[in-house]
Amino acid sequence: MAATGIVNSAFTLSAQGIVAEGAVAYNFEPPALYEEALKRGEAVLAAGGPLMADTGSFTGRSPKDKFIVRDATTQDSVWWDNNSALTPDQFDVLHAEFLEHARQKDLFVQDLFGGADPASRVKARVITELAWHSLFIRNMLIRPQREQLDSFLADMIIIDLPSFKADPARHGTRTDTIIACDFTRRIVLIGGTAYAGEMKKAVFTYLNFVLPAKGIMPMHCSANVGGANDAAVFFGLSGTGKTTLSADPHRTLIGDDEHGWSKDGIFNFEGGCYAKVIRLSREAEPEIFATTERFGSVLENVVLDPHTRRPDFDNAAKTENTRVCYPLDFIPNASPTGRASHPRNIVMLTCDAFGVLPPIAKLDGAQAMYHFLSGYTAKVAGTERGVKDPEATFSTCFGAPFMPRHPAVYGNLLRDLMARHHVDCWLVNTGWTGGKFGTGRRMPIRVTRRLLSAALDGSLSKAGFRTDPHFGLAVPVLVPGVEPHLLNPVQTWASKADFAETARRLVEMFRTNFAKFEPHVDDAVRDAAPGWQIAAE
């Protein structure tokens, strides 16, 4: 074994009992990883300097292929209605075969932190067979200082081998793709998929399991902070606008996807951003666009001009889920600490494919918990395998695939923190207006930005509000710079009867979905369910 790079000599792979007959590269930085990825034919160089890699047939996550080991640690603490189980024996067989598969591979190792708060961060060792995967996860997590690597000892291990194929009969998996999480041994095995996002979500899943027991709320959200120390968090699934809306040139970016909320405030889990770039515009999103022209960024599944190597962000021939991964400090106004005070505002982003929800509404505490547990949005094309058009879905806590514990655990943490710190909560629809998907249009981003600015600067709380007749939400009737009819969705529809029928169906979907949570919430939250009233418009 030829080992190069920087590593704690007491924590090499061999010291862990991992035999590697090929070369092992510890904590390589971007130039060396570029060289390895290009030499191995894993990626190509794009105009401006980023590396561009294809992920093959897997251009999104595979949540149905994710499993948690069911043992004494997890038996009574994991939400098994939402998570598939492996036995410890099945994991043992899988783990042994992973290590045997890795034996003859050249391996790349990154030692990284998950969490900007030193008191609650996880130390993660990520072992990959692809150099560009090593660069990806180095961008995405928090990079230790040089002297910290000399004594680095990991709390969790991720082994990522896309060329490994699981055997359902032998390993208890669904297909030959596997994401297997053992929370007791703190090991995650990823095989059969080259989609790099599985690695970062493995760290998020682990933190979602361990932090609630410490009274820390893990959140699938972006976050930023204004000059008045007015932090805001943005909950939402992929494609709802977390990255775009938090990258505000007038506010400091804390992070774009995963955060914790402790007694001391909020903190980023990551050290990078993973932004969708389909139809990315230099004019609309200049900060994110600039990262696609920098050395060190990683483009995923982006179509390049064969001669100029310039990205064509309007081309979805490979997938709608094209991405760019970059270190957080590539954004000019990013926080150097990844930490901020307790938030003043919480924004729940939903991409309403039915075109029924207003562009913004103010939620009281019970409504906030109801909509957090509901997690209504639309799956956006390409984010998961098999999703080609937006589909209405309910993903509890705005991140069900990453939630090992029961949603009530996270919901109660959020409710208590919001009440303790007097946080305002807003529901924002970044989906459709003027009709459902296929008839209406996507909510103009300028409108969303204007409404968010008014919410975050406090002026919107002083506006006049009406009560939405279907959802009982407080909706502003007039916001400077926003056309008044956009604030009342029925006025954007050509047929008021079609709107009423569509609203009835969406209300019924909410109520049906929430039935499983009713035993876990109090009367106030149950009463926050949408009603059936139809007001005269």
Side-chain angles (χ1 to χ4, degrees):
M1 177 180 68
T4 53
I6 301 168
V7 65
N8 177 358
S9 59
F11 194 60
T12 60
L13 291 190
S14 58
Q16 290 180 259
I18 299 176
V19 178
E21 296 176 358
V24 180
Y26 290 98
N27 297 302
F28 272 21
E29 296 200 12
L33 291 172
Y34 262 64
E35 289 178 353
E36 293 294 334
L38 294 172
K39 179 176 67 177
R40 295 161 187 268
E42 298 174 5
V44 297
L45 194 63
L51 208 60
M52 201 297 292
D54 287 329
T55 62
S57 60
F58 288 81
T59 57
R61 292 180 290 103
S62 299
K64 294 180 180 179
D65 293 309
K66 186 175 182 179
F67 294 79
I68 295 173
V69 174
R70 192 169 192 157
D71 59 14
T73 301
T74 59
Q75 174 65 41
D76 298 324
S77 56
V78 164
W79 180 31
W80 293 112
D81 289 346
N82 184 64
N83 293 279
S84 299
L86 287 180
T87 68
D89 288 345
Q90 287 170 328
F91 187 88
D92 284 343
V93 172
L94 187 67
H95 185 218
E97 293 186 18
F98 253 74
L99 296 185
E100 182 59 31
H101 188 80
R103 177 190 290 267
Q104 295 181 345
K105 300 285 184 182
D106 291 340
L107 298 174
F108 299 87
V109 179
Q110 291 288 338
D111 294 324
L112 302 159
F113 296 134
D117 179 3
S120 56
R121 69 177 30 149
V122 61
K123 297 177 182 178
R125 165 161 284 184
V126 185
I127 303 166
T128 68
E129 66 173 304
L130 297 177
W132 83 264
H133 272 194
S134 194
L135 178 58
F136 172 94
I137 200 63
R138 181 181 176 84
N139 281 353
M140 287 309 309
L141 295 184
I142 297 170
R143 297 158 290 281
Q145 297 296 315
R146 168 67 176 80
E147 58 274 14
Q148 292 174 304
L149 290 174
D150 292 334
S151 58
F152 190 96
L153 295 171
D155 301 312
M156 70 174 299
I157 306 295
I158 298 173
I159 305 176
D160 177 54
L161 305 175
S163 64
F164 180 90
K165 303 297 182 185
D167 182 344
R170 193 165 63 255
H171 302 128
T173 60
R174 188 181 71 96
T175 67
D176 60 8
T177 300
I178 180 62
I179 302 97
C181 308
D182 186 326
F183 291 145
T184 300
R185 284 175 281 192
R186 297 170 299 183
I187 299 171
V188 178
L189 308 175
I190 303 171
T193 172
Y195 184 66
E198 297 286 11
M199 292 183 289
K200 84 183 208 81
K201 290 305 185 189
V203 177
F204 186 41
T205 300
Y206 177 78
L207 289 170
N208 279 328
F209 181 74
V210 300
L211 292 184
K214 302 177 181 180
I216 299 172
M217 172 68 180
M219 303 179 291
H220 187 212
C221 70
S222 58
N224 61 26
V225 61
N229 201 28
D230 53 332
V233 301
F234 302 77
F235 286 105
L237 294 182
S238 176
T240 56
K242 294 195 313 300
T243 300
T244 296
L245 295 172
S246 57
D248 184 333
H250 305 294
R251 296 172 64 84
T252 298
L253 177 66
I254 307 300
D256 84 324
D257 195 44
E258 302 167 4
H259 294 78
W261 188 356
S262 72
K263 61 181 179 60
D264 300 317
I266 60 174
F267 60 97
N268 196 355
F269 287 167
E270 300 185 310
C273 298
Y274 192 34
K276 292 192 74 169
V277 294
I278 192 67
R279 291 174 286 279
L280 182 68
S281 161
R282 187 187 300 273
E283 292 69 33
E285 301 175 75
E287 294 84 9
I288 296 174
F289 196 98
T291 70
T292 70
E293 300 175 313
R294 289 191 61 168
F295 179 88
S297 292
V298 178
L299 298 173
E300 276 187 355
N301 301 311
V302 174
V303 175
L304 303 180
D305 182 285
H307 302 293
T308 66
R309 298 281 182 90
R310 294 191 179 282
D312 180 358
F313 294 124
D314 294 325
N315 193 326
K318 297 177 182 178
T319 177
E320 285 272 339
N321 194 35
T322 53
R323 297 270 183 168
V324 61
C325 160
Y326 50 89
L328 191 65
D329 59 15
F330 280 17
I331 298 295
N333 61 329
S335 166
T337 67
R339 303 174 72 179
S341 61
H342 299 288
R344 292 188 189 173
N345 289 279
I346 286 177
V347 179
M348 296 182 183
L349 299 168
T350 179
C351 175
D352 177 22
F354 288 89
V356 168
L357 288 173
I360 196 165
K362 196 169 191 291
L363 308 183
D364 62 26
Q367 289 171 330
M369 188 167 179
Y370 182 92
H371 284 275
F372 180 68
L373 292 178
S374 296
Y376 168 67
T377 189
K379 289 180 182 176
V380 178
T383 303
E384 292 183 8
R385 297 193 78 208
V387 178
K388 300 187 182 301
D389 294 313
E391 296 177 357
T393 189
F394 292 88
S395 185
T396 187
C397 306
F398 295 99
F402 325 118
M403 301 295 164
R405 297 183 182 271
H406 192 278
V409 172
Y410 308 105
N412 287 329
L413 274 170
L414 181 67
R415 180 194 61 190
D416 294 347
L417 285 163
M418 285 181 59
R420 191 180 310 152
H421 300 290
H422 310 290
V423 182
D424 285 337
C425 186
W426 306 89
L427 183 69
V428 172
N429 174 23
T430 62
W432 275 259
T433 183
K436 60 186 177 182
F437 173 75
T439 302
R441 60 169 179 149
R442 195 77 187 259
M443 191 70 67
I445 192 170
R446 63 167 182 81
V447 171
T448 303
R449 288 191 187 280
R450 179 68 196 94
L451 293 170
L452 278 176
S453 294
L456 300 187
D457 68 20
S459 61
L460 194 56
S461 290
K462 303 170 186 173
F465 289 84
R466 66 177 180 88
T467 300
D468 181 270
H470 306 286
F471 285 82
L473 306 175
V475 181
V477 295
L478 188 65
V479 179
V482 177
E483 298 92 321
H485 72 283
L486 290 175
L487 297 170
N488 192 353
V490 68
Q491 294 184 9
T492 68
W493 282 56
S495 169
K496 305 301 185 282
D498 286 349
F499 175 86
E501 178 56 30
T502 304
R504 286 180 188 272
R505 287 195 290 116
L506 184 57
V507 166
E508 185 175 3
M509 291 173 63
F510 264 87
R511 295 172 72 95
T512 300
N513 170 74
F514 202 80
K516 59 182 175 287
F517 299 125
E518 288 183 354
H520 304 280
V521 299
D522 58 27
D523 289 343
V525 177
R526 284 191 288 270
D527 291 344
W532 300 90
Q533 299 85 1
I534 304 295
E537 300 291 350

